[in-house]
Amino acid sequence: MSSVNPFGLINYSNYYLNPIAYYSKIWEKFDMDLHTHPYYEIMYVEDGICTIMLYSTDKSGEPHESSVILSKDMAIFINSNVYHRLIVSQPTKMLHLEFERIDNSIINGSIDFGRIIQNTQHLKQLFTENKIFYIIKNAHEVISPIKRIHAELVDNIVLNEDNYFLVQAYIIELFIKISKIYRDNTYKGGIVYIRKAISYIRNNYTNKVTVEMISKELGVSNGYLQKLIKDETGKTLFEIVNNYRIEKAKLLINSTTFPLIDIAIECGFNNRQNFYHIFKNIVGMSPQEFRKGATSNNLYYFNNEYANTLYNELRI
């Protein structure tokens, strides 16, 4: 019995994913034969419950069996060359798609899915894990792209150029949504730490703030906190602190006549030079230029706190 393709999708390049099989149906009862194929497979349960049996071998060559129960609003992504079977014992409504990997040279101007993975943070994180399968909970967002792909395949036995690019766009949307949902499932506990870290910054930005201080306050290691924040926000903790301080400084510059050095100190900067350097690096102009522009035409007025923006981005 062979195991999962050791390279997964991430180590390939110059390919696109072509949908080759699909269904949307209600299974009354069904016991699929054990099988494998070189295709990538997605199953989503709209209603009901089913069991997926998956078989692989570990690094030592020992066989391994996994049993996954999928209930309403759950999906599974199965990697290529994985032995598996579907077992349904009660009415279950399901959506299904299978994809083959096709070399880009076949269609001129085709989308390089491998490059999209490499340049999309959440997709790269997902496929770097290279699991034989991924369980996606609370997956209702995948319904729309799956059904749009189904609709294009039903209406077009052979995809023309326009339909091809449309389907590729839906496939990219589908996998990006899968990766984001999977990330949210994986880091659900970690999101709490990010929220607490941002709250700490909001309450202490006028004073010295370090990774060590926040980690100690949260009761986690420095390394874990830094990786969690970088993975979720794309920014370092140092960048988040400085951006929050600069947003506060912009509000004070715009709404008061306080001397710039007083504003710098009020916002947690320990000296004028450091404040000016970081301000210009983030805003693109010096504090004096910003004040002049805000005074003359109010173009640079910001009333949204940086921490609130982060909360919205993270949906926490």
Side-chain angles (χ1 to χ4, degrees), residues 50-181:
C50 66
T51 301
I52 313 292
M53 302 297 299
L54 303 109
Y55 305 85
S56 63
T57 56
D58 59 25
K59 293 181 180 178
S60 65
E62 291 296 315
H64 181 74
E65 177 183 296
S66 299
S67 177
V68 176
I69 296 176
L70 295 184
S71 56
K72 183 177 180 179
D73 199 27
M74 291 179 65
I76 187 170
F77 171 75
I78 304 175
N79 216 325
S80 62
N81 301 314
V82 176
Y83 280 89
H84 61 282
R85 57 190 289 231
L86 168 65
I87 302 170
V88 181
S89 57
Q90 64 184 64
T92 301
K93 186 177 182 182
M94 299 183 68
L95 297 174
H96 165 269
L97 275 171
E98 288 182 21
F99 303 92
E100 62 179 341
R101 197 181 66 254
I102 300 292
D103 188 277
N104 270 348
S105 61
I106 295 178
I107 296 182
N108 290 331
S110 55
I111 300 168
D112 187 347
F113 194 76
R115 177 167 291 185
I116 289 173
I117 291 176
Q118 292 295 337
N119 290 281
T120 306
Q121 181 184 351
H122 302 135
L123 276 175
K124 189 173 183 178
Q125 289 174 357
L126 177 75
F127 289 115
T128 296
E129 294 185 18
N130 195 32
K131 294 183 177 182
I132 66 171
F133 65 90
Y134 299 82
I135 300 173
I136 317 297
K137 301 175 183 177
N138 302 315
H140 57 274
E141 289 186 41
V142 307
I143 295 176
S144 179
I146 288 177
K147 287 190 174 182
R148 288 200 293 266
I149 294 169
H150 280 192
E152 290 299 322
L153 297 176
V154 168
D155 293 337
N156 300 277
I157 298 176
V158 178
L159 294 176
N160 60 35
E161 197 171 80
D162 290 342
N163 297 121
Y164 159 78
F165 285 111
L166 191 59
V167 168
Q168 289 302 302
Y170 295 153
I171 290 172
I172 293 168
E173 177 191 5
L174 171 61
F175 277 94
I176 287 177
K177 285 186 174 180
I178 286 174
S179 67
K180 286 186 174 181
I181 297 168

Side-chain angles (χ1 to χ4, degrees), residues 121 125 187 194 221-235:
Q121 181 184 351
Q125 289 174 357
Y187 287 113
I194 297 178
S221 69
N222 297 344
Y224 172 77
L225 180 61
Q226 291 184 90
K227 184 179 187 304
L228 183 64
I229 288 177
K230 182 67 174 178
D231 287 348
E232 288 300 308
T233 69
K235 302 177 178 66

Side-chain angles (χ1 to χ4, degrees), residues 209-217 220 222 225-226 237:
V209 177
T210 66
V211 175
E212 290 76 14
M213 290 176 176
I214 300 178
S215 299
K216 184 177 180 179
E217 178 73 18
V220 298
N222 297 344
L225 180 61
Q226 291 184 90
L237 191 60

Side-chain angles (χ1 to χ4, degrees), residues 181-243:
I181 297 168
Y182 184 77
R183 176 209 61 180
D184 289 346
N185 292 340
T186 303
Y187 287 113
K188 187 175 181 180
I191 291 293
V192 175
Y193 290 120
I194 297 178
R195 187 186 186 95
K196 289 181 177 180
I198 294 172
S199 293
Y200 183 94
I201 293 168
R202 170 183 273 164
N203 295 327
N204 297 277
Y205 73 95
T206 58
N207 305 310
K208 183 178 180 180
V209 177
T210 66
V211 175
E212 290 76 14
M213 290 176 176
I214 300 178
S215 299
K216 184 177 180 179
E217 178 73 18
L218 271 55
V220 298
S221 69
N222 297 344
Y224 172 77
L225 180 61
Q226 291 184 90
K227 184 179 187 304
L228 183 64
I229 288 177
K230 182 67 174 178
D231 287 348
E232 288 300 308
T233 69
K235 302 177 178 66
T236 66
L237 191 60
F238 181 72
E239 289 172 329
I240 290 175
V241 172
N242 278 338
N243 273 278

